Amino acid sequence: MLQLTSRAKTVTCDGMVRRDFLQVGALGALGLSLPQLLAAKAQGAVADDHDRRNVIMIFNLGAPSQMDTFDPKPDAPVEVRGPFKPISTKSPDIQLTEILPKHAELADRFSLVRSCYHTGAAVHDTGHQMLQTGRLFTGGVNTPHAGCVLEYLRGRKTDLPAHVILPEPMGNTGGNLPHGQDAGFLGKAYDPFALMADPSKPNFQVPDLLPPKEIGQARLERRRRLRQIVEGTMRDFEASESAKLMDANFESAYRMITSPAARDAFDLTKEPPALREKYGMNRFGQSCLLARRLIEAGVRFVTVNTFLTVFDEITWDIHGSKPFTSIEGMKEIVAPMYDQAYSALIHDLVDRGLLEDTLVCNLAEFGRTPRVNPAGGRDHWPQCFTVYFAGGGVQGGRVVGRSDPNGAYPAERPTPPAEVVATIYRSLGLDLETTLPGPAGRPFPLVDFGAHAINELF
C-alpha cells in the first residue's frame, strides 16, 4: 500500500521518511510508454483490432459443486447426484440444476468447460493462483494475475486504472500462499486497484478515490509537486527505484482523484434504483453492477470476488458443518444471489452492446467431491470442475469437455489452468508466445510451453 498522507510521517520500504503526501492507497501504474507499446506491438503482443476487448473475471471463491450446479448427474447414485434436479435450458446442449434458473434462461449466451482439473494441492490458495495466473507459485516465482499482464502490455485507456478488484482482494482461506491477485514478478507498479469497500452499503464511497477531508484542492495541487517537496535532503533517495515507483504511483493517483469521469464511474447512485435491484442489493450483486460501469468507463479488466474468505460466512465452500456451508445454505442463499447478479450482468452487457467486446469468465479454484460427505456437504476436489465463458468472441450455448458419470474426472478434453488463462489471452488478442520480463530479467512466456487456448469456445 502506497501511503501519501498529509501530516503524518510515511516510512518507505527503504526506511526513508517523507511528509505531506496524499493518502491514496495502492494504485496501478501510469501504463505503457510509447516505446513499450511499440515494442509490444512489434512482437505481436498487442493486436490493434482486439484493443477494445475487456474482461470481467468472476472468481467463485470457495468453489461450487459441479454436480449441484453446472454438471448435473441425474443417473448417478443419490450420494453422488445430490438433492437437486436437472433442468433444461435455452441451449439444447446444456443442462443445469434447478438452483440456477436464471442461468438456464440465458444458456445460449455462455459456454461451459466441464473438464477442468489441476494437479496442485486441494487447498484454496493453490487453486486461486493457478486459475488466475495459469501457474502454481513455486520456487519463489510469483506469476502475475492475467489482469496485471494486460495492464503491463497495454496500459490504461483513461484516468481509471487498467485493472480493478472488487470488492477487495481475497483474504484468508486457510493457507499462507499468494492468492494470485497481484502483479507478481512484474512489480507493484502493475498491482490492481482494490476497491476495499462494500458497494451495496447506503453510504458507499471509494476510500482511495477522494483526498482526506483536511486537504483542500489548493493543497492537493501543491502535493503534486512531489520532487519539489523532497528536493535537497532526499537527493539520494530520489535516484532510487523506490522513488521512481512512488512518483509514478503519485501521478497515477493524482490523475484518478482529480478526474470527474473516474469519480463518476464508481458512483452507483447514477444507476436507476430498479436496475440496482435487478442485480441484487448485496455485496456481490452491486460489485457486478460496478464492474459493468467500470468497463463502460474504460477499465480493461475487472476481477469480482464472490466472497472474500471461506470462514464464518455462507459461501460455495460446502463442507456441510460450521464454520463452512451446507448444501442447503448454498441452495437458499448463495445460488439465488449468484444467479440473480450474473443474469443481470449478462443482460445489461447485451442491452448496452458491450458483451461482444467483454469476456465474462466465471472461474473457481477446484470442484467438490463426487460423493456427499457424512456432514451432508462436499469437500475439495481439484480433479474435475467446471468453468464458463460468455462474450469476448466466445460462442454461447456450447459444452466443451465432459466429465465421467460421477463428475470425478475428465472423460473428454481435460483442461488445465494454463489453458483457461490462455483462453482469456486469446480473447484479448494477445500472442501466447509473448514474453514478460521475469525474475532476474529472464524472458518469461505468458503461458507454459504447449498450453493452448480452448479454441472450441470461439
Side-chain angles (χ1 to χ4, degrees):
M1 175 86 59
L2 174 64
Q3 295 288 333
L4 302 175
T5 44
S6 66
R7 296 186 182 277
K9 293 182 179 180
T10 300
V11 181
T12 72
C13 59
D14 286 352
M16 307 300 291
V17 177
R18 313 185 91 181
R19 297 175 183 270
D20 297 320
F21 282 12
L22 164 66
Q23 183 175 357
V24 294
L27 297 176
L30 288 172
L32 288 179
S33 66
L34 180 58
Q36 286 176 306
L37 180 60
L38 293 176
K41 288 183 176 179
Q43 62 173 306
V46 177
D48 290 340
D49 58 341
H50 284 81
D51 192 54
R52 64 182 183 274
R53 285 275 172 85
N54 315 291
V55 177
I56 297 175
M57 175 189 286
I58 296 175
F59 204 95
N60 285 312
L61 188 148
S65 163
Q66 64 274 27
M67 289 74 62
D68 297 308
T69 54
F70 308 110
D71 192 9
K73 300 294 181 182
D75 298 325
V78 63
E79 65 272 17
V80 171
R81 69 174 181 261
F84 308 125
K85 298 177 182 178
I87 57 174
S88 298
T89 71
K90 201 168 181 180
S91 167
D93 295 328
I94 294 177
Q95 272 195 332
L96 303 173
T97 71
E98 59 188 331
I99 67 174
L100 296 173
K102 293 184 181 295
H103 273 67
E105 295 172 359
L106 50 81
D108 59 328
R109 294 287 185 181
F110 62 81
S111 287
L112 303 169
V113 182
R114 284 177 169 162
S115 53
C116 290
Y117 77 98
H118 70 74
T119 57
V123 295
H124 295 283
D125 301 12
T126 296
H128 297 158
Q129 298 159 20
M130 298 181 79
L131 268 295
Q132 294 177 101
T133 73
R135 295 183 176 92
L136 179 63
F137 176 79
T138 183
V141 178
N142 189 12
T143 305
H145 185 286
C148 301
V149 170
L150 180 63
E151 176 163 5
Y152 174 80
L153 291 175
R154 291 195 178 159
R156 61 172 66 196
K157 294 179 181 178
T158 66
D159 289 331
L160 286 160
H163 179 201
V164 176
I165 288 183
L166 304 176
E168 59 185 88
M170 295 174 179
N172 178 29
T173 54
N176 58 0
L177 297 173
H179 291 282
Q181 293 204 310
D182 59 30
F185 59 66
L186 287 178
K188 291 188 176 297
Y190 297 98
D191 275 350
F193 174 81
L195 181 66
M196 305 305 294
D198 182 348
S200 69
K201 297 296 184 183
N203 58 347
F204 164 63
Q205 287 185 320
V206 184
D208 289 338
L209 190 57
L210 297 175
K213 294 179 180 179
E214 68 269 19
I215 298 182
Q217 192 65 33
R219 293 180 65 198
L220 174 60
E221 174 62 28
R222 289 198 297 269
R223 275 143 184 81
R224 191 182 187 193
R225 300 193 291 270
L226 179 62
R227 291 191 181 277
Q228 295 179 9
I229 294 173
V230 298
E231 190 175 19
T233 59
M234 302 297 293
R235 290 186 190 277
D236 292 339
F237 178 77
E238 285 295 307
S240 71
E241 290 299 317
S242 295
K244 293 174 184 176
L245 172 61
M246 292 181 73
D247 286 351
N249 277 334
F250 183 91
E251 291 298 329
S252 173
Y254 188 88
R255 287 171 58 187
M256 187 170 168
I257 64 175
T258 58
S259 167
R263 291 196 298 270
D264 286 349
F266 286 95
D267 188 357
L268 287 176
T269 64
K270 296 184 179 298
E271 295 292 338
L275 183 62
R276 296 192 68 180
E277 291 285 349
K278 186 177 179 181
Y279 275 85
M281 292 303 296
N282 52 68
R283 186 178 65 191
F284 175 65
Q286 296 305 291
S287 291
C288 287
L289 174 54
L290 186 53
R292 189 226 82 206
R293 286 186 61 84
L294 293 174
I295 291 294
E296 202 169 29
V299 174
R300 293 186 183 275
F301 201 115
V302 181
T303 300
V304 180
N305 293 321
T306 51
F307 304 103
L308 305 178
T309 179
V310 294
F311 300 113
D312 298 316
E313 66 172 302
I314 301 296
T315 74
W316 292 113
D317 201 26
I318 57 166
H319 291 289
S321 58
K322 293 183 178 181
F324 305 105
T325 307
S326 65
I327 288 183
E328 190 67 21
M330 178 180 67
K331 173 189 175 183
E332 299 295 335
I333 300 173
V334 177
M337 173 201 71
Y338 178 75
D339 196 37
Q340 177 179 359
Y342 178 78
S343 171
L345 174 63
I346 297 299
H347 285 304
D348 205 2
L349 290 171
V350 170
D351 291 345
R352 293 170 183 270
L354 295 172
L355 186 61
E356 179 56 32
D357 289 328
T358 304
L359 179 71
V360 182
C361 54
N362 295 59
L363 312 181
E365 59 265 46
F366 40 60
R368 314 302 300 191
T369 48
R371 291 181 180 274
V372 175
N373 66 27
R378 299 185 193 264
D379 301 316
H380 302 176
W381 189 260
Q383 288 90 332
C384 191
F385 56 101
T386 299
V387 301
Y388 59 111
F389 300 82
V394 168
Q395 301 300 307
R398 297 181 178 182
V399 176
V400 176
R402 179 172 57 85
S403 63
D404 68 15
N406 289 336
Y409 300 96
E412 179 183 290
R413 216 272 186 223
T415 304
E419 296 192 357
V420 173
V421 176
T423 302
I424 297 172
Y425 291 148
R426 169 175 169 170
S427 175
L428 291 167
L430 300 179
D431 186 340
L432 299 185
E433 295 186 5
T434 300
T435 58
L436 304 171
R442 295 190 300 270
F444 203 89
L446 287 190
V447 294
D448 288 333
F449 178 76
H452 304 285
I454 308 169
N455 293 316
E456 302 95 313
L457 292 170
F458 295 91

